[in-house]
Amino acid sequence: MKLELIKQAALINGEWLPAQEGIPVCNPATGQELGQVPALSSAHIHDAIKAAKKAFLSWRKTSALERSKLLEAFYQEILSNEAQLASIVTLENGKPLNEALAEVRYTASFVQWFSQESRRIYGDTIPGNRSSQRLLVQKEPVGVCAMITPWNFPSAMLGRKMAAALAAGCTLVAKPAESTPFSALALGVLAQRVGFPKGVINIVTGDPQEIGALFCSSPLISKISFTGSTRVGRLLMSQSAGTLKRLSLELGGNAPFVVCADASLEAALDGAMASKFRNCGQTCIASNRFLVHSSLYPAFVKGLTERVEKLRVGAGHVEDIDLGPMINQAAVQKVKELLLDATQKGARILTGGIPQGDSLFVKPTVLVDATAQCKLWNTEIFGPVASITPFDTDEEAILLANDTSYGLAAYLYTQSSKRAWELSEALAYGMVGLNTGRISTAQAPFGGIKQSGLGREGGRYGLDEYLQLKYICHELI
Ligand code: ADP
């Protein structure tokens, strides 16, 4: 397939600025260079911000119906190009092609959702103190939004931010991750094709620290939406203090996967595989700690080990596989260190193993007997490692599950409705998968609490992130 959507250029004010002296982008499965994107200067970033500000003045005045129609056309265009977009995701990120296609459809589903939600930006009227008073509340777009996105879902993480912002009437400057910029730039090509006015969508590439600092300090930017590590999220928050920006931060997780005594073992195993090994374990909602009631523990350990042994690891762009490579050496080294630490503290590997050499292909691994003293208990593993721990009572399960500073997603398996309610409410997380390992969908609010961040993406709540309230007090004279 010819990949004409791979664009080696940044999008500023409707113009494509080609890469000279660019940043190379490589296929993690082969190390082969796919192309380059520009290392933009700060002057270029300022140009992009200014273009978004200028475009905002007219974009904010478009009717909800107009924005809805453009987003609907964008949705159709993404679907019409889904095979090519999926190939780009696999080439730059390494995930299996079927997962890449699912990601592209997931991106499209947000664009469709927000195309429809843009028509439901409702306000309020409030009874006044006198008959001559009318009190109104209306919602307005916040302004220019900066978006910084990660490499693990290079299409979807940007698509869901863009769609919400555009639906609200905001304009944007986006900076994708340096290892996976082509999926984001391809969305820019398609958005232009369907007719978004120039300057409404700008996509820049270059040095992340420099661009992040420029976004945070720019008085022209009203909001930053970031998905990535808790470390960078905190940095952006502190850098934004000077300009008091609105922030949405979707940060790290440390998801517990709790299997109660009355759970369906088969369903729990299915959910465990789905929540753990997608994208080679590199998702923020990946299960990080499997907590299994002691009565089911031996069967769960056996079942998961058998399933993990069947997983096929390889290069997604040439063969049918379950797990691709990890994104880079730093990611592999982290998994290696966590496994060395755990095994030194008494944990046992049942299948898989500690990564050796410098390959980015890591064997999916099942580990038992890791304790809360092991680093992986409190660290987002972000790799294909499943660590399983038994528990005896519901109280103990909740204590173990909540024993983390993160609060993004948790999973719970039980067939009792009483336990389902009580334990879901006791889990200190922004999202709970109850008898499912697959929770992400466009109509639901995705996001976390505690060190997992602020704000929600998706659902009707996702639109509010890009809107501000205006109260109008009208005296009838
Ligand atoms: P990871 O460790 O998974 O790569 P990061 O938080 O480092 O997660 O990266 C997520 C996004 O944040 C990427 O687009 C990356 O370029 C960007 N980023 C990294 N460091 C900074 C920074 N200092 N300021 C702004 N953005 C940054």
Side-chain angles (χ1 to χ4, degrees):
M1 184 191 319
K2 191 167 174 311
L3 300 177
E4 93 261 4
L5 290 176
I6 288 200
K7 196 85 182 169
Q8 302 188 61
L11 177 59
I12 299 178
N13 201 23
E15 303 289 333
W16 289 97
L17 202 74
Q20 295 142 350
E21 297 290 309
I23 306 166
V25 181
C26 296
N27 179 345
T30 60
Q32 225 172 9
E33 187 174 312
L34 299 167
Q36 303 205 344
V37 291
L40 294 179
S41 66
S42 54
H44 286 131
I45 307 301
H46 282 300
D47 286 347
I49 297 171
K50 277 187 263 170
K53 184 70 186 181
K54 183 153 182 273
F56 177 63
L57 301 179
S58 41
W59 181 247
R60 66 172 303 179
K61 292 193 186 136
T62 53
S63 71
L65 186 58
E66 213 174 311
R67 296 197 300 277
S68 174
K69 282 182 177 162
L70 268 176
L71 281 163
E72 166 68 22
F74 188 27
Y75 160 68
Q76 296 294 352
E77 195 65 19
I78 294 172
L79 286 187
S80 307
N81 289 278
E82 63 177 20
Q84 200 187 146
L85 293 170
S87 289
I88 296 174
V89 170
T90 293
L91 282 172
E92 64 180 3
N93 163 283
K95 68 178 65 178
L97 207 47
N98 63 341
E99 284 189 24
L101 189 58
E103 177 181 343
V104 170
R105 289 179 182 162
Y106 180 64
T107 308
S109 73
F110 278 89
V111 178
Q112 183 189 39
W113 170 260
F114 284 114
S115 77
Q116 296 162 349
E117 279 301 284
S118 66
R119 305 192 63 194
R120 301 190 190 101
I121 301 176
Y122 303 137
D124 292 310
T125 60
I126 305 169
N129 291 331
R130 293 178 293 282
S131 59
S132 61
Q133 253 186 349
R134 300 290 183 274
L135 312 184
L136 305 166
V137 181
Q138 68 181 33
K139 292 184 180 174
E140 299 181 344
V142 296
V144 178
C145 300
M147 301 171 178
I148 301 178
T149 52
W151 47 263
N152 62 343
F153 289 88
S155 172
M157 294 303 98
L158 181 59
R160 70 184 184 185
K161 292 185 196 305
M162 276 172 76
L166 294 168
C170 297
T171 58
L172 62 102
V173 184
K175 190 210 78 64
E178 48 280 22
S179 46
T180 58
F182 288 131
S183 297
L185 292 163
L187 289 179
V189 174
L190 299 182
Q192 253 195 334
R193 216 181 258 176
V194 301
F196 280 96
K198 71 172 188 177
V200 168
I201 297 169
N202 303 274
I203 306 177
V204 296
T205 52
D207 180 64
Q209 289 184 17
E210 194 186 335
I211 296 176
L214 288 174
F215 283 171
C216 293
S217 59
S218 171
L220 302 185
I221 290 178
S222 305
K223 179 193 168 90
I224 295 194
S225 178
F226 170 73
T227 300
S229 61
T230 298
R231 180 185 69 81
V232 174
R234 282 196 198 107
L235 179 72
L236 294 173
M237 192 171 195
S238 67
Q239 287 179 341
S240 295
T243 48
L244 280 180
K245 298 209 189 309
R246 287 270 297 265
L247 290 168
S248 296
L249 304 174
E250 203 265 274
L251 309 177
N254 180 1
F257 187 103
V258 181
V259 183
C260 296
D262 62 3
S264 153
L265 182 65
E266 279 305 299
L269 286 167
D270 284 347
M273 295 301 290
S275 75
K276 178 73 246 184
F277 293 102
R278 196 160 53 106
N279 201 18
C280 202
Q282 303 171 114
T283 75
C284 49
I285 56 170
S287 295
N288 218 52
R289 298 166 295 145
F290 290 92
L291 307 171
V292 183
H293 189 266
S294 45
S295 61
L296 287 181
Y297 182 75
F300 186 88
V301 169
K302 181 167 177 286
L304 196 71
T305 306
E306 283 169 4
R307 287 173 188 234
V308 170
E309 277 166 353
K310 294 196 185 110
L311 292 175
R312 299 156 302 168
V313 181
H317 66 294
V318 283
E319 53 187 329
D320 193 16
I321 48 142
D322 302 303
L323 262 74
M326 296 198 67
I327 192 71
N328 55 31
Q329 267 305 326
V332 177
Q333 282 310 311
K334 183 177 172 192
V335 167
K336 184 174 177 176
E337 278 165 34
L338 292 174
L339 283 173
L340 278 172
D341 169 77
T343 48
Q344 276 159 11
K345 290 174 181 158
R348 287 180 299 128
I349 291 175
L350 300 185
T351 185
I354 299 174
Q356 309 289 336
D358 56 8
S359 168
L360 296 185
F361 293 100
V362 170
K363 288 184 199 151
T365 298
V366 175
L367 192 75
V368 290
D369 300 343
T371 62
Q373 277 67 50
C374 296
K375 284 186 193 157
L376 56 73
W377 186 265
N378 278 309
T379 309
E380 186 177 31
I381 301 171
F382 236 60
V385 175
S387 171
I388 317 173
T389 304
F391 69 85
D392 289 316
T393 64
D394 289 353
E395 293 69 30
E396 187 190 353
I398 291 300
L399 277 176
L400 290 170
N402 289 345
D403 179 26
T404 170
S405 56
Y406 290 109
L408 191 58
Y411 303 90
L412 175 67
Y413 278 74
T414 173
Q415 298 198 73
S416 142
S417 64
K418 179 171 183 291
R419 195 176 251 148
W421 277 110
E422 287 177 355
L423 299 194
S424 327
E425 287 169 5
L427 285 164
Y429 289 85
M431 300 177 279
V432 176
L434 194 47
N435 294 325
T436 178
R438 297 176 184 83
I439 56 175
S440 305
T441 180
Q443 60 271 46
F446 188 105
I449 58 171
K450 294 162 71 180
Q451 298 296 303
S452 292
L454 312 166
R456 294 293 182 270
E457 294 192 294
R460 66 186 164 91
Y461 310 94
L463 201 54
D464 285 337
E465 299 284 326
Y466 295 91
L467 295 166
Q468 60 199 9
L469 298 181
K470 179 168 284 169
Y471 156 55
I472 299 173
C473 178
H474 188 179
E475 195 65 42
L476 306 182
I477 54 170

